[in-house]
Amino acid sequence: YANFSADDLTGKEENKLSLQQEMGLPQDPDVPMISIISRLVPQKGLDLIQEVIDELLQEDIQFVMLGTGNQEYEDMFRRIAEEYPAKVAVNISYDGDLAQKIYASSDMFLMPSKYEPCGLSQLISFRYGTIPIVRETGGLNDTVVAYNEETGEGTGFSFSDYNAHDMLHTIERAVSFYDKKGIWNKLVNRVMNLNYSWHNSA
């Protein structure tokens, strides 16, 4: 909806408000928005989400999902959208334009994969200043450095065991830092300045 950069993040808030309006969610720039853009298959850790989604939605958050896949997961996301219409927006489709808007609007991107040889979504999230929450596996472990509150270092939040409550605790931890704007804006600025280009690799 709007361009922004690491030097000027005002467009990110504009994106969030526009997406909230388009998705029929309450427009509130201060509520943390967590997104998932994914194929809905077991590899992506969706059974972890299935196990704790009702607990997670007791938090003051909004949750936006885009993807298609297994009927079981599509039905699960449809159910939570019906039960929590003020918190959840679900899009069972493949839509590149909407994906870009979700990356640009979200505060956090959830990727609790069972295995992930590389993973592109966390790298796209970085580019849009959207902080990834990932399981420490494969390419996710290679690219997302867990935030350390003592040193201030890190580029996201992560958990190691394939466990739903470990994931839930990690999401809650990320949400707790969202209100600390000094810390959060530093994180956003840092991930937007990461360089994963071919030029850097070469």
Side-chain angles (χ1 to χ4, degrees):
Y1 306 98
N3 292 335
F4 60 97
S5 69
D7 299 323
D8 181 5
L9 290 169
T10 51
K12 189 159 178 71
E13 185 173 304
E14 199 178 313
N15 279 299
K16 187 175 181 178
L17 292 167
S18 297
L19 185 71
Q20 286 169 331
Q21 184 175 29
E22 187 173 330
M23 296 289 107
L25 294 169
Q27 283 182 287
D28 181 352
D30 297 323
V31 68
M33 181 186 282
I34 302 171
S35 62
I36 290 182
I37 299 169
S38 180
R39 289 180 298 116
L40 304 182
V41 294
Q43 177 205 340
K44 299 299 182 181
L46 300 171
D47 53 320
L48 299 186
I49 295 169
Q50 200 164 23
E51 196 175 323
V52 295
I53 189 66
D54 291 292
E55 278 179 79
L56 174 60
L57 290 168
Q58 302 313 306
E59 296 280 321
D60 183 22
I61 60 165
Q62 289 179 348
F63 186 85
V64 178
M65 195 288 296
L66 171 67
T68 60
N70 292 17
Q71 189 72 45
E72 174 193 359
Y73 297 129
E74 290 188 0
D75 290 346
M76 181 259 294
F77 282 117
R78 285 193 182 100
R79 173 189 72 79
I80 63 164
E82 282 175 19
E83 285 186 27
Y84 302 92
K87 287 189 168 186
V88 178
V90 164
N91 306 272
I92 306 292
S93 65
Y94 179 84
D95 185 333
D97 184 53
L98 180 58
Q100 196 171 2
K101 289 173 175 175
I102 293 171
Y103 280 120
S105 305
S106 307
D107 301 298
M108 299 160 214
F109 189 89
L110 179 59
M111 202 170 175
S113 303
K114 194 173 283 186
Y115 57 93
E116 196 68 60
C118 174
L120 294 174
S121 297
Q122 80 280 15
L123 302 180
I124 298 169
S125 296
F126 285 152
R127 196 78 185 105
Y128 283 100
T130 299
I131 305 302
I133 302 169
V134 303
R135 193 173 89 80
E136 293 164 10
T137 183
L140 300 177
N141 198 32
D142 292 336
T143 53
V144 179
V145 178
Y147 177 69
N148 181 326
E149 54 216 273
E150 290 183 13
T151 64
E153 294 170 338
T155 56
F157 296 86
S158 64
F159 60 102
S160 58
D161 290 342
Y162 192 73
N163 177 287
H165 282 89
D166 286 1
M167 179 193 72
L168 179 62
H169 172 72
T170 304
I171 297 169
E172 289 170 344
R173 183 166 172 258
V175 167
S176 75
F177 283 106
Y178 178 73
D179 288 332
K180 299 170 183 169
K181 286 301 174 200
I183 291 173
W184 195 262
N185 289 338
K186 263 188 197 167
L187 257 177
V188 170
N189 190 274
R190 181 180 301 148
V191 302
M192 287 187 77
N193 282 298
L194 292 171
N195 185 345
Y196 282 100
S197 68
W198 283 117
H199 177 82
N200 198 41
S201 299

